[in-house]
Amino acid sequence: DESFHLNSLFNPDGHGISPSAVILQGNSGNGKTLTVQKIMLDWASDKLFKEQFDIVFHLKCKEINRIPGRKSLVEILSYSCSLTSDEISQILQHSPEKVLFIIDGFDELRLTQDIYYMSPHTDVIQKAPAEVTLCALLRGHILSESFLLVTTRSTATDKLSELLKGPKNFTEIMGFSEKGVEEYFQKFFQNDELFRRAYTFVKTNENLFTACSIPVICWIICTTIKERFRIGADVTSGLETTTSIYVDFVCTLLQHHCQGLSQSVTSLLMSLGQLAERGMLEQEVLLDEKTVYETVSDPAGNPFLCKLLFKRRIHQETMFSFMHLSFQEFFTALYYLLLDKEESQKKITELCSIQESHSEIRPPRFAAVLQFAFGLLNKDVRHTLRNKHGL
């Protein structure tokens, strides 16, 4: 069923028009990136788009943000695959109509006014800042015969629609169905008795069960419940809102996975918050090693950060990211509320003014930070943070 649905993404609509671009939109943590990875795997295994596309390029916007200088489309593609520039050029010239570009995380792309004022890009070897070159591809100035599959948070859909070429097909990733939540719990716990206990607890709590439709939150809730089973704690207390779910998860990791770290809890959370805020303001999800080590002691042993190798043509760089973009947003909000009142108000005011001044070219990328900030002001959440960690 799933493969059939995906295979039909580029099929003609009721008027016989085939979309040249498909937008996979969804909220944070709903599984957009995982869907893209599955599409790549199925295409490589001849289960998907077998007749439609000879080659599929997978471009991650968070990596494109890190590409320095002026780059052509061919150069950008050579960053993301093992083909040489010459091989890529030949493929693009020979049969562009058999090429699919998957562009993952459009909402994470660092957009500037350059995308409006630079002369139209029409050649695969013409150089420009990486985000300008990518926008030229989206607009159909380059390789207009090729096909696009773009994932984005729903907040950036309008901006993406303005850029995209030709007929478009919008598909929303809704997260888990009720049956999907049950299957996820089963696979997570791998023990029938624990699965039944956990699933029954969550099923009888409407707020929690609704939250589980978001895969990343479902994972957090399962991890939290598993830990509570282990220590014999009340299974679902304190898990009333999205923010309280994140707070409880963070508290669990602080208690059980941060014991060996040299920083105090307050110092650790402040340093993670500073790092998160820096990434948010600079529109960076991938954070370079130097920046991270300047802010966080022992980042490699920090459970909230993921270490990864970023390909740079002939060498690799060590990069870090938060375990999910939503955690970068959460720690930014927490940082603002750990500051003294005057500094906190100043930061939030600046955040809102940055958003306002860039509203023409950027999606509302601080919305989740502000939502988490309001969530952290909840009386019960404040009580938890104060009692558990003296914040």
Side-chain angles (χ1 to χ4, degrees):
D1 286 347
E2 178 194 354
S3 290
F4 172 77
H5 176 66
L6 289 170
N7 264 313
S8 65
L9 285 176
F10 290 95
N11 285 355
D13 62 15
H15 303 288
I17 299 170
S18 297
S20 55
V22 171
I23 300 172
L24 284 182
Q25 62 184 355
N27 293 329
S28 173
N30 265 12
K32 300 180 292 295
T33 295
L34 203 65
T35 300
V36 161
Q37 290 169 347
K38 180 76 163 62
I39 287 170
M40 289 293 292
L41 178 65
D42 284 356
W43 170 76
S45 309
D46 284 342
K47 294 178 188 171
L48 191 65
F49 304 143
K50 188 178 175 182
E51 306 299 325
Q52 279 177 289
F53 304 119
D54 290 343
I55 189 159
V56 177
F57 290 104
H58 183 195
L59 295 169
K60 302 170 188 173
C61 290
K62 62 185 178 186
E63 292 185 359
I64 285 170
N65 285 341
R66 303 291 318 182
I67 297 175
R70 297 166 65 84
K71 294 286 182 284
S72 68
L73 180 63
V74 167
E75 287 173 316
I76 291 171
L77 294 174
S78 71
Y79 272 88
S80 69
C81 71
S82 55
L83 299 173
T84 66
S85 295
D86 285 345
E87 287 169 331
I88 293 169
S89 292
Q90 284 176 7
I91 289 164
L92 297 181
Q93 286 168 14
H94 183 254
S95 50
E97 74 287 350
K98 300 286 274 184
V99 175
L100 172 65
F101 294 100
I102 296 180
I103 298 167
D104 189 25
F106 171 79
D107 56 285
E108 295 171 11
L109 189 66
R110 195 196 298 115
L111 294 178
T112 63
Q113 291 289 358
D114 288 349
I115 63 167
Y116 295 109
Y117 300 124
M118 295 207 52
S119 57
H121 221 74
T122 54
D123 199 305
V124 294
I125 58 169
Q126 188 177 339
K127 293 176 187 277
E131 73 278 4
V132 174
T133 299
L134 188 69
C135 286
L137 177 67
L138 289 168
R139 285 173 152 161
H141 294 166
I142 313 174
L143 299 173
S144 56
E145 308 97 315
S146 65
F147 290 81
L148 297 167
L149 178 67
V150 190
T151 76
T152 182
R153 282 188 179 188
S154 304
T155 51
T157 305
D158 290 347
K159 181 51 55 189
L160 178 58
S161 295
E162 287 175 32
L163 288 172
L164 272 178
K165 60 175 185 176
K168 298 178 277 288
N169 178 8
F170 289 82
T171 299
E172 183 149 15
I173 296 181
M174 303 297 292
F176 287 145
S177 63
E178 189 171 321
K179 184 164 174 30
V181 172
E182 186 176 359
E183 284 176 11
Y184 186 87
F185 268 67
Q186 235 168 343
K187 287 175 181 173
F188 185 93
F189 286 96
Q190 296 183 330
N191 171 301
D192 207 47
E193 187 199 342
L194 291 181
F195 151 65
R196 284 278 156 225
R197 279 176 65 197
Y199 186 69
T200 304
F201 274 121
V202 170
K203 189 79 193 288
T204 54
N205 182 319
E206 193 179 342
N207 281 354
L208 262 189
F209 195 65
T210 302
C212 280
S213 66
I214 301 170
V216 77
I217 294 182
C218 194
W219 166 69
I220 292 171
I221 289 170
C222 284
T223 305
T224 300
I225 290 175
K226 192 175 186 179
E227 186 60 34
R228 290 182 179 194
F229 280 158
R230 192 180 70 78
I231 61 175
D234 184 356
V235 176
T236 58
S237 71
L239 303 178
E240 283 81 28
T241 64
T242 299
T243 304
S244 67
I245 290 165
Y246 275 77
V247 166
D248 196 274
F249 181 75
V250 167
C251 287
T252 299
L253 262 60
L254 286 171
Q255 198 172 342
H256 300 285
H257 300 279
C258 294
Q259 298 302 317
L261 300 179
S262 56
Q263 288 173 288
S264 69
V265 166
T266 306
S267 169
L268 175 63
L269 293 176
M270 288 292 278
S271 62
L272 284 169
Q274 282 177 298
L275 185 67
E277 183 205 29
R278 185 167 175 173
M280 291 302 299
L281 294 176
E282 293 176 5
Q283 277 190 282
E284 291 289 5
V285 177
L286 291 179
L287 307 158
D288 63 78
E289 198 172 18
K290 181 174 177 288
T291 300
V292 174
Y293 274 95
E294 280 172 1
T295 318
V296 179
S297 67
D298 188 22
N302 191 301
F304 301 106
L305 296 172
C306 302
K307 184 178 176 180
L308 51 140
L309 292 174
F310 180 58
K311 184 180 163 191
R312 284 270 193 219
R313 286 291 182 82
I314 55 171
H315 71 285
Q316 290 183 321
E317 281 181 27
T318 299
M319 306 291 286
F320 288 87
S321 72
F322 283 86
M323 56 172 76
H324 187 263
L325 177 56
S326 59
F327 280 93
Q328 186 169 328
E329 293 162 332
F330 173 83
F331 280 114
T332 302
L334 184 60
Y335 172 59
Y336 289 159
L337 295 171
L338 291 175
L339 296 168
D340 64 60
K341 191 174 179 181
E342 195 177 321
E343 183 68 10
S344 178
Q345 288 180 338
K346 184 181 165 204
K347 291 266 190 190
I348 293 280
T349 305
E350 284 171 359
L351 201 71
C352 293
S353 64
I354 291 169
Q355 184 62 64
E356 194 64 34
S357 64
H358 291 96
S359 59
E360 288 301 306
I361 57 165
R362 288 182 188 158
R365 62 191 162 105
F366 300 127
V369 174
L370 294 172
Q371 285 165 354
F372 274 127
F374 280 112
L376 287 163
L377 293 173
N378 174 288
K379 178 165 55 63
D380 294 330
V381 169
R382 294 209 319 262
H383 180 75
T384 299
L385 288 169
R386 190 166 54 243
N387 279 14
K388 284 195 176 180
H389 299 293
L391 299 174

